[in-house]
Amino acid sequence: MQDILYRWDFSTNKQKWSIWYISALAVIIGFVIWWFLSRQYGLSFILLLVCGIYIFNLNNSPERVEVVCTKQGIQVENTFYEYTRIRSFSFLSVWKEILFLRLSLVKGWAYRNIDIDINEKISEDLKQILPQFIEQDDTQELSFTERLIHMFKL
């Protein structure tokens, strides 16, 4: 790949404490028992299915994801997004700490937003590079659900 402007990688592993796993397991078992006692077997099945998919994704995700910013677009691991397919970018923060680079894609794609882990230094470097190719959107924020996902490290 030529014309590389910036490159970084980030870890996909979220460090969770053992109390997190114990609490999650207790809540799941509690819900399954409740739904079986109230004869709502479908909800128990759905919860177990969602937990299984989460664990499957957790075990099959790469340890590190490489992001490469070029003059033609942005490559995230094995997927390349041309600048013409990206509507805008924004930096998302929690408690004034920049955590994500959000790429808003043009409509018609499976994903509308792609959130990429960054830190303060990477954001400062990207503020110099990305506005040359795509517009910055300062109005985007993390939703309540996204904040909960970050807080519980899901």
Side-chain angles (χ1 to χ4, degrees):
M1 182 175 291
Q2 58 201 22
D3 300 325
I4 293 176
L5 300 174
Y6 198 75
R7 176 189 305 235
W8 77 97
D9 65 348
F10 61 92
S11 172
T12 60
N13 295 336
K14 308 231 190 255
Q15 300 300 322
K16 297 178 183 126
W17 300 323
S18 59
I19 192 74
W20 186 95
Y21 291 103
I22 293 169
S23 301
L25 187 61
V27 168
I28 290 168
I29 290 172
F31 275 126
V32 169
I33 290 172
W34 170 312
W35 287 330
F36 265 103
L37 292 176
S38 62
R39 297 179 194 267
Q40 297 178 359
Y41 305 114
L43 292 174
S44 298
F45 176 74
I46 290 171
L47 179 67
L48 292 175
L49 186 65
V50 167
C51 291
I53 290 171
Y54 175 75
I55 291 171
F56 178 77
N57 279 341
L58 194 65
N59 290 334
N60 291 322
S61 63
E63 294 228 359
R64 299 202 68 76
V65 174
E66 182 180 40
V67 182
V68 179
C69 194
T70 68
K71 291 183 178 179
Q72 291 78 31
I74 298 174
Q75 181 172 343
V76 181
E77 199 60 24
N78 296 325
T79 307
F80 187 76
Y81 301 96
E82 294 179 9
Y83 289 123
T84 57
R85 297 186 177 170
I86 302 172
R87 182 182 322 115
S88 63
F89 75 94
S90 55
F91 297 105
L92 303 178
S93 59
V94 175
W95 299 293
K96 298 185 180 185
E97 177 187 350
I98 295 178
L99 297 175
F100 301 110
L101 167 66
R102 174 169 284 173
L103 302 176
S104 297
L105 302 178
V106 178
K107 290 183 181 178
W109 284 70
Y111 300 107
R112 297 190 77 173
N113 294 319
I114 298 172
D115 293 339
I116 303 170
D117 288 3
I118 60 172
N119 58 32
E120 203 69 39
K121 182 195 178 314
I122 295 171
S123 71
E124 290 301 321
D125 294 340
L126 291 176
K127 284 178 186 177
Q128 306 300 318
I129 298 169
L130 290 180
Q132 300 171 26
F133 304 103
I134 48 180
E135 127 184 14
Q136 183 171 355
D137 181 6
D138 293 327
T139 61
Q140 291 205 14
E141 294 181 359
L142 286 174
S143 67
F144 177 72
T145 308
E146 291 169 328
R147 288 178 189 269
L148 284 178
I149 288 170
H150 172 70
M151 186 173 73
F152 289 115
K153 298 182 180 184
L154 295 175

